[in-house]
């Protein structure tokens, strides 16, 4: 007997309503594999493969070099924001592409003539208890020594130069850039020292290993292989705008090895993006171009026909975004992902679900509705790798987090992504605020990924391509939840409880 139970995506998303992730619930499928067998490998753009379907958003409180490095180390990818000068963005990209996975991402480095007070500031701002001392105060210049708080704690004159108190390089145990990570780790442990500077054959500081970072690595869940480019360097993306100056920015970023460029605009269906795509595909053919943001098929088609290698989907769904409220334009994120995904697959181009991600269930929904990657902003804000310093607010350890449409961000130049000229009135399309300390994304992401694998197992899909096939054939069925159903699907009827994600 034929029967109907639930709706295929084509039926659900063509009823005149737009839905968020929380509105939609999937029906379970048949399980004949374990969660560990689920393959989450994907593409973030036409030519770039990832092992993990997660990338960090190009927001100035989310992704700079430290976040981009961490994302690549766990199998994802980070996109550097462009709310900074060209030189600053290029320097961030250079640090990412030069990084060797397993080492300290941004070691503290000072000059020999730097004072102890500068070491104090470094400890306050970044929590470092020691610093390498190099000729230029930068990684890549000649290593001169190492200084720790133990060297400085009893010195009353805090203007004393580090050269007077540091341990000179001749007395240090050094690792070598020609040795493997495992060999240098073994040397660190055998030396019984807390720090192991890594130098090249010319004596230049290139990296740092610490006993603390080694212990942290042992205590973290395994993260798998990093994301590498064809030359063995970790992957790095970056955002640019669509103005003439951004063409120079794009060329400079490509020169240091950036793998993909995002055209960063809240509304990507514009002549400016079409012209920029044409320029980039002609002048930088080896760099993939991700266009957007879009939420409709008409928007997507124009960008895809222009040659976009990926699409960023979402408008007004971010936790700090007020675009839908201010401009009355946008779309529920579940509907946007499904609709754009349907046309993008005809072009063989992956889409990035950008915004509205709050938990692993939302990632499952984004990927199952047609996305190849989930782009996270608020999810990764407040993490150890996010830009900014921690501070305490009402007794809670927090970091700043803001939308790129907030007035604070616009003052630094992000108004260009809202197609606003600097001389015009600025109307906020986002807010500024704070988020709790979330720890390291290197701990968070493996747990998120396993939650996604468990979701795919419940759906009966052992890979991303399989769940997309189930969506296309209508075998993946779903329904819309009422408000009562959503409440029932969460924690309820408890006097008290503690919610621990992992």
């Amino acid at each position: 007997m034929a029967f109907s139970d639930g709706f295929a995506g084509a039926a659900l998303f063509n009823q005149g309503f737009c839905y968020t992730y929380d509105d939609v619930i999937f029906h379970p499928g048949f399980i004949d594999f374990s969660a560990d067998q689920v393959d989450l490998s994907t593409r973030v753009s036409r030519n770039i493969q990832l092992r993990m379907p997660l990338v960090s958003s190009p927001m100035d409180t989310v992704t700079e070099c430290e976040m981009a490095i961490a994302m690549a180390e766990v199998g994802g990818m980070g996109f550097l924001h462009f709310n900074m000068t060209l030189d600053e963005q290029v320097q961030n990209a250079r640090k990412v592409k030069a990084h060797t996975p397993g080492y300290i991402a941004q070691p503290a480095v000072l000059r020999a003539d730097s004072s102890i007070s500068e070491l104090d500031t470094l400890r306050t701002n970044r929590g470092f208890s020691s610093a390498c001392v190099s000729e230029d105060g930068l990684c890549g210049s000649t290593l001169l020594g190492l200084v720790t708080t133990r060297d400085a704690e009893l010195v009353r004159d805090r203007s004393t130069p580090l050269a007077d108190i540091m341990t000179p390089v001749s007395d240090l145990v050094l690792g070598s850039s020609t040795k493997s990570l495992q060999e240098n780790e073994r040397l660190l442990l055998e030396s019984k020292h807390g720090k192991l500077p890594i130098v090249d054959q010319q004596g230049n500081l290139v990296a740092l290993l610490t006993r603390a970072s080694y212990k942290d690595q042992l205590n973290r869940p395994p993260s798998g292989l990093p994301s590498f480019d064809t030359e063995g360097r970790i992957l790095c993306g970056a955002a640019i705008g669509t103005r003439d100056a951004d063409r120079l920015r794009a060329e400079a970023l490509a020169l240091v090895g950036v793998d993909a460029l995002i055209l960063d605009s809240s509304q990507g269906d514009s002549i400016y993006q079409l012209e920029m795509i044409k320029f980039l595909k002609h002048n930088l053919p080896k760099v993939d171009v991700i266009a957007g943001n879009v939420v409709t098929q008409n928007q997507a088609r124009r960008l895809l026909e222009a040659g976009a290698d990926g699409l960023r989907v979402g408008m007004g769904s971010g936790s700090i975004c007020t675009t839908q409220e201010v401009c009355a334009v946008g779309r529920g994120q579940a509907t946007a992902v499904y609709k754009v995904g349907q046309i993008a697959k005809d072009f063989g181009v992956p889409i990035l679900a950008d915004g509205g991600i709050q938990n692993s269930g939302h990632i499952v929904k984004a990927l199952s509705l047609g996305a190849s990657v989930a782009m996270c902003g608020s999810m990764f804000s407040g993490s150890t790798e996010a830009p900014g310093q921690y501070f305490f607010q009402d007794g809670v350890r927090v970091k700043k987090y803001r939308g790129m449409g907030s007035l604070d961000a616009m003052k630094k130049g992000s108004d260009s992504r809202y197609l606003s000229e600097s001389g015009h009135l600025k109307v906020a399309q986002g807010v500024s605020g704070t988020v709790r300390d979330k720890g390291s994304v290197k701990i968070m992401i493996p747990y998120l990924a396993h939650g996604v694998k468990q979701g795919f197992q419940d759906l009966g899909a052992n890979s991303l391509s399989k769940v997309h096939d189930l969506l296309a054939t209508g075998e993946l069925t779903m329904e819309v939840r009422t408000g009562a159903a959503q409440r029932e699907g969460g924690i309820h009827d408890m006097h008290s409880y503690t919610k621990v994600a992992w």
Side-chain angles (χ1 to χ4, degrees):
M1 181 179 69
F3 60 90
S4 176
D5 192 2
F7 298 89
L12 188 73
F13 291 107
N14 283 296
Q15 300 181 42
F17 300 95
C18 69
Y19 300 116
T20 67
Y21 293 134
D22 283 338
D23 290 325
V24 179
I25 193 74
F26 296 130
H27 292 174
F30 178 71
I31 298 174
D32 58 358
F33 54 90
S34 69
D36 289 333
Q37 292 176 297
V38 174
D39 178 13
L40 294 180
S41 61
T42 187
R43 290 185 301 156
V44 68
S45 61
R46 194 188 306 271
N47 302 300
I48 299 177
Q49 301 277 340
L50 295 181
R51 184 179 53 79
M52 187 75 65
L54 294 172
V55 299
S56 62
S57 178
M59 303 171 69
D60 61 6
T61 49
V62 177
T63 308
E64 290 183 355
C65 60
E66 193 168 352
M67 178 65 79
I69 287 170
M71 291 301 299
E73 285 191 329
V74 296
M77 187 173 179
F79 287 87
L80 302 168
H81 72 86
F82 79 111
N83 209 18
M84 51 182 155
T85 67
L86 185 155
D87 288 343
E88 289 171 337
Q89 194 178 24
V90 167
Q91 186 61 28
N92 271 265
R94 186 177 284 116
K95 288 179 180 178
V96 178
K97 298 303 291 187
H99 179 73
T100 302
Y103 295 92
I104 299 294
Q106 286 198 84
V109 187
L110 296 170
R111 292 164 56 98
D113 58 2
S114 298
S115 65
I116 296 177
S117 63
E118 291 178 67
L119 181 64
D120 294 336
T121 301
L122 191 66
R123 183 180 184 183
T124 300
N125 291 343
R126 298 184 60 187
F128 289 154
S129 60
S130 63
C132 295
V133 181
S134 73
E135 191 170 51
D136 297 333
L138 299 170
C139 217
S141 64
T142 304
L143 179 67
L144 302 178
L146 181 74
V147 63
T148 70
T149 50
R150 188 179 301 169
D151 299 319
E153 61 186 355
L154 297 180
V155 180
R156 292 190 175 183
D157 183 5
R158 308 311 278 181
S159 64
T160 302
L162 299 183
D164 293 352
I165 63 167
M166 70 181 185
T167 301
V169 66
S170 57
D171 294 338
L172 295 175
V173 177
L174 302 176
S176 171
S177 61
T178 61
K179 293 181 179 178
S180 68
L181 173 64
Q182 291 72 25
E183 289 175 313
N184 282 321
E185 286 176 339
R186 193 179 307 117
L187 181 59
L188 170 68
L189 298 178
E190 291 172 352
S191 73
K192 299 185 179 179
H193 290 300
K195 311 287 186 298
L196 183 74
I198 311 298
V199 296
D200 61 17
Q201 292 177 315
Q202 287 73 45
N204 298 316
L205 175 69
V206 295
L208 178 70
L209 273 179
T210 70
R211 190 171 291 268
S213 66
Y214 180 76
K215 288 165 61 179
D216 285 345
Q217 177 190 335
L218 293 179
N219 292 328
R220 291 197 304 264
S223 56
L225 294 174
S227 302
F228 291 116
D229 63 17
T230 55
E231 298 179 17
R233 301 176 298 176
I234 61 174
L235 292 176
C236 177
I240 62 171
T242 55
R243 298 184 178 184
D244 289 344
D246 290 300
R247 301 187 177 196
L248 297 176
R249 185 182 289 260
E251 291 172 336
L253 290 167
L255 198 60
V256 296
V258 163
D259 302 282
L261 293 171
I262 277 182
L263 303 185
D264 195 16
S265 174
S266 64
Q267 211 286 56
D269 185 21
S270 69
I271 185 64
Y272 312 110
Q273 284 220 9
L274 297 180
E275 290 176 349
M276 181 61 85
I277 292 171
K278 181 180 179 180
F279 171 82
L280 294 174
K281 299 308 294 181
H282 181 265
N283 292 278
L284 304 172
K286 294 183 179 180
V287 180
D288 275 11
V289 180
I290 300 172
N293 283 33
V294 297
V295 293
T296 72
Q297 293 182 339
N298 284 331
Q299 288 180 299
R301 181 179 294 279
R302 278 185 279 271
L303 297 175
L304 291 167
E305 289 175 345
D309 299 303
L311 290 178
R312 193 174 168 202
V313 179
M315 189 173 185
S317 56
S319 65
I320 38 63
C321 186
T322 60
T323 296
Q324 293 186 18
E325 175 186 330
V326 173
C327 301
V329 176
R331 201 173 203 174
Q333 187 67 347
T335 302
V337 170
Y338 176 79
K339 288 291 189 180
V340 176
Q342 291 302 295
I343 189 170
K345 70 178 183 179
D346 293 339
F347 287 80
V349 169
I351 67 171
L352 294 73
D354 175 29
I357 302 288
Q358 300 171 27
N359 49 53
S360 59
H362 288 166
I363 298 171
V364 172
K365 291 177 181 180
L367 299 176
S368 300
L369 290 172
S372 294
V373 166
M375 174 173 277
C376 300
S378 66
M379 176 76 78
F380 299 152
S381 65
S383 64
T384 306
E385 295 83 4
Q389 306 302 325
Y390 286 112
F391 60 97
F392 285 89
Q393 186 176 73
D394 301 326
V396 179
R397 193 168 188 249
V398 298
K399 269 188 181 183
K400 289 184 178 179
Y401 177 51
R402 67 189 184 191
M404 296 305 286
S406 67
L407 291 179
D408 286 347
M410 283 186 175
K411 289 174 183 176
K412 284 195 67 177
S414 71
D415 54 335
S416 64
R417 77 186 299 273
Y418 295 88
L419 305 180
S420 173
E421 298 299 330
S422 58
H424 290 187
L425 297 176
K426 291 180 173 59
V427 177
Q429 292 186 41
V431 299
S432 300
T434 59
V435 289
R436 288 175 177 266
D437 176 8
K438 297 174 185 172
S440 173
V441 296
K442 294 181 183 179
I443 296 175
M444 183 193 309
I445 288 178
Y447 284 103
L448 284 174
H450 195 69
V452 174
K453 288 183 176 184
Q454 288 179 327
F456 273 38
Q457 182 190 37
D458 284 345
L459 291 172
N462 60 5
S463 68
L464 205 59
S465 59
K466 176 64 175 179
V467 82
H468 287 174
D469 289 343
L470 294 176
L471 179 68
T473 61
E475 296 175 75
L476 178 65
T477 56
M478 60 197 83
E479 289 173 327
V480 175
R481 295 194 293 176
T482 63
Q486 291 184 40
R487 288 190 294 273
E488 184 180 68
I491 299 166
H492 56 87
D493 297 332
M494 294 287 292
H495 170 64
S496 64
Y497 67 89
T498 301
K499 187 175 183 179
V500 180
W502 45 75

